[in-house]
Amino acid sequence: MKKKVKTGNIVQLVAALLGVVALLMMFMPGVSWKTVLLGKEVASDGINGFKMMFGGEIGGDFKYELQFNFMAFMSFVFLLVGLAGVILSLLLKGKIGAFLAIGGFLLAGIFFFLYRAVLPMSFKDVTIGSTTISGKDALDAMKELGTTFSLGIGAIMAGILSLLASAASAVATFVIKK
């Protein structure tokens, strides 16, 4: 006897797929920056989501050392909570997994759009030539050099996909009859 696949399960799988694609967007720039001196762009780059979360070193002539950023890490955690919620809602027929999926994806989407705001927490050192500047002074020095930061395409896409995954989980939970 054939088992009928329910529409709610398909929509939850679509939410999971959106969540996985959002996770892959963390390899793209979460924050983009460019430095303009005397009206000419001298440097530009992006900081991918994983480097912003866990730290590392970026740049060429201007080296930026980043440290662990808890707020950026929370977007990753909430995304994993959303994916775990989808799995729970598919395996267990209760609503607790669906609520975890909705909340996890929603919070992940919000936190992705906060990447630009939480960027200052990531900076540890900035090295320009042979001069190293630490902490908040590093960010101030970068601004004095004409460096501007903007939300990167990876964070924008991950935020949109996470919010869509949250909406799909909500539709599967509240609108579609199981």
Side-chain angles (χ1 to χ4, degrees):
M1 192 188 312
K2 270 190 170 178
K3 188 175 181 182
K4 195 173 182 182
V5 178
K6 297 185 179 176
T7 310
N9 290 347
I10 293 172
V11 174
Q12 284 287 29
L13 287 173
V14 168
L17 179 65
L18 290 170
V20 169
V21 174
L23 187 65
L24 293 175
M25 290 294 125
M26 295 167 75
F27 288 105
M28 296 178 68
V31 175
S32 298
W33 59 271
K34 68 178 178 178
T35 303
V36 178
L37 290 175
L38 302 171
K40 182 180 175 192
E41 185 177 310
V42 293
S44 65
D45 202 358
I47 305 169
N48 75 34
F50 287 113
K51 194 161 282 199
M52 192 171 150
M53 275 187 268
F54 300 113
E57 197 172 279
I58 56 170
D61 295 335
F62 304 108
K63 286 194 177 178
Y64 304 106
E65 189 176 339
L66 303 173
Q67 60 191 3
F68 177 76
N69 187 327
F70 180 75
M71 295 296 284
F73 180 68
M74 288 308 293
S75 62
F76 180 66
V77 169
F78 287 133
L79 194 57
L80 293 179
V81 167
L83 288 169
V86 168
I87 293 168
L88 280 175
S89 72
L90 292 173
L91 295 178
L92 309 172
K93 297 302 177 195
K95 297 235 187 235
I96 188 73
F99 287 130
L100 278 174
I102 294 167
F105 286 136
L106 180 66
L107 288 171
I110 291 168
F111 273 69
F112 279 122
F113 285 114
L114 293 176
Y115 264 27
R116 165 60 188 90
V118 301
L119 177 68
M121 293 182 220
S122 292
F123 280 99
K124 184 176 181 182
D125 294 323
V126 174
T127 304
I128 304 164
S130 61
T131 306
T132 300
I133 307 167
S134 298
K136 182 169 177 352
D137 294 335
L139 190 62
D140 293 338
M142 291 168 53
K143 288 181 181 176
E144 282 182 32
L145 285 173
T147 303
T148 57
F149 297 93
S150 59
L151 197 59
I153 189 67
I156 293 169
M157 292 301 296
I160 290 170
L161 290 169
S162 295
L163 293 175
L164 286 174
S166 179
S169 290
V171 166
T173 304
F174 299 116
V175 177
I176 298 174
K177 301 286 183 208
K178 290 193 174 194

